[in-house]
């Protein structure tokens, strides 16, 4: 762990450490800043006192970094190989991504990170496909939902304000349901919870998609598994660590998959020895009488 101070810091008070969507959004922003502003040498860390993440930077980002990031998204969306235009994730053929990546003239650092991570989420499982991270069904497309967030020209998303926790809350749909607040129990609502629109900082759902680039799928003796995900009592559980000292993208990728983080009983001594001060766990569940799956509020392991 690198404990030396960087000249510039970018606090992200719109994110919380105990929210799986927010954690993926922090990872996604780290990946995107590293991709678009490599000279900034971004490093990610989490405050022990507030649970808020920050990026430590060698050089400051442009004052309008959120606007530039949105412009980049729109350029990608308008490109011949629109990364958000593949429709349903579960119907994408991995060979489509492979063919694109084999064309060296069309390949970029973005393509190699994005397509490989997305392809890793759609392994064949028996006669069909499924993703352990992305919740998608016959009636909804996560990529279409993300693309729709770009198309509101009258009121464009404000990425910087969303990460600062100051942006407007918007109705969002067709998300990956990584935010636990998307589940609304009928016991606490006066209307059918399926009719209630979820309001959120919209751009965090977009950036969280890029956080998947830290979670590849690997082959095991029990089939293909996504690192960071494990089966516990017939449930799918996502485990993630938070740490106090800033670390770069490559170190983050290694830390996220350390075996100690994903053990059923996290050992405090082993976790702290690798610089982690908390491990959070969230389970994917399907409420009684509903077809939709959601992520539960996270529980601390330590």
């Amino acid at each position: 762990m690198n404990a030396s101070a960087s000249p510039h810091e970018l606090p992200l008070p719109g994110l919380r450490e105990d929210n799986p969507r927010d954690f993926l959004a922090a990872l996604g922003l780290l990946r995107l800043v590293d991709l678009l502003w490599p000279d900034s040498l971004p490093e990610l860390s989490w405050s022990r006192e507030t649970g808020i993440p920050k990026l430590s930077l060698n050089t400051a980002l442009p004052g309008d970094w959120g606007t530039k990031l949105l412009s980049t998204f729109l350029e990608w969306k308008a490109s011949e190989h629109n990364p958000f235009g593949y429709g349903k994730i579960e119907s994408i053929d991995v060979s489509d991504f492979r063919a694109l990546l084999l064309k060296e003239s069309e390949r970029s650092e973005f393509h190699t990170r994005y397509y490989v991570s997305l392809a890793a989420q759609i392994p064949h499982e028996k006669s069909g496909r499924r993703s352990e991270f992305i919740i998608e069904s016959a009636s909804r497309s996560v990529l279409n939902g993300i693309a729709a967030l770009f198309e509101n020209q009258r009121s464009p998303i404000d990425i910087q304000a969303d990460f600062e926790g100051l942006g407007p809350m918007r109705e969002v749909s067709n998300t990956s349901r990584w935010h636990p607040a998307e589940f609304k129990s009928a016991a606490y609502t006066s209307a059918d919870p399926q009719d209630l629109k979820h309001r959120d900082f919209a751009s965090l759902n977009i950036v969280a998609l890029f956080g998947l680039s830290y979670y590849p799928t690997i082959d095991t003796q029990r089939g293909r598994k996504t690192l960071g995900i494990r089966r516990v009592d017939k449930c799918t559980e996502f485990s993630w660590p938070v740490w106090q000292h800033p670390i770069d993208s490559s170190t983050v990728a290694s830390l996220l998959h350390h075996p100690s983080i994903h053990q059923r009983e996290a050992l405090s001594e082993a976790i702290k020895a690798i610089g982690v001060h908390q491990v959070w766990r969230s389970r994917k569940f399907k409420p009684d009488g509903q077809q939709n799956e959601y992520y539960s509020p996270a529980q601390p392991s330590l």
Side-chain angles (χ1 to χ4, degrees), residues 40-83:
S40 67
L41 303 177
E43 297 179 323
L44 179 64
S45 61
W46 304 78
S47 169
R48 297 195 66 164
E49 290 74 28
T50 65
I52 292 173
K54 69 178 179 182
L55 290 184
S56 300
L57 306 158
N58 187 55
T59 58
L61 299 184
D64 60 345
W65 64 267
T67 301
K68 292 184 181 298
L69 187 54
L70 177 58
S71 297
T72 300
F73 289 159
L74 293 172
E75 289 175 6
W76 289 341
K77 185 175 182 293
S79 67
E80 179 182 357
H81 300 289
N82 172 14

Side-chain angles (χ1 to χ4, degrees), residues 139-161:
S139 60
R140 53 193 299 278
S141 164
V142 170
L143 291 183
N144 286 344
I146 286 177
L149 296 175
F150 297 129
E151 297 167 358
N152 189 347
Q153 297 181 354
R154 294 183 58 186
S155 180
I157 57 177
D158 188 334
I159 296 176
Q160 192 165 345

Side-chain angles (χ1 to χ4, degrees), residues 120-136:
Q121 295 304 312
I122 51 175
H124 286 274
E125 293 290 342
K126 297 182 180 179
S127 60
R129 301 171 184 265
R130 68 180 180 88
S131 166
E132 292 182 296
F133 256 121
I134 299 172
I135 299 174
E136 192 169 63

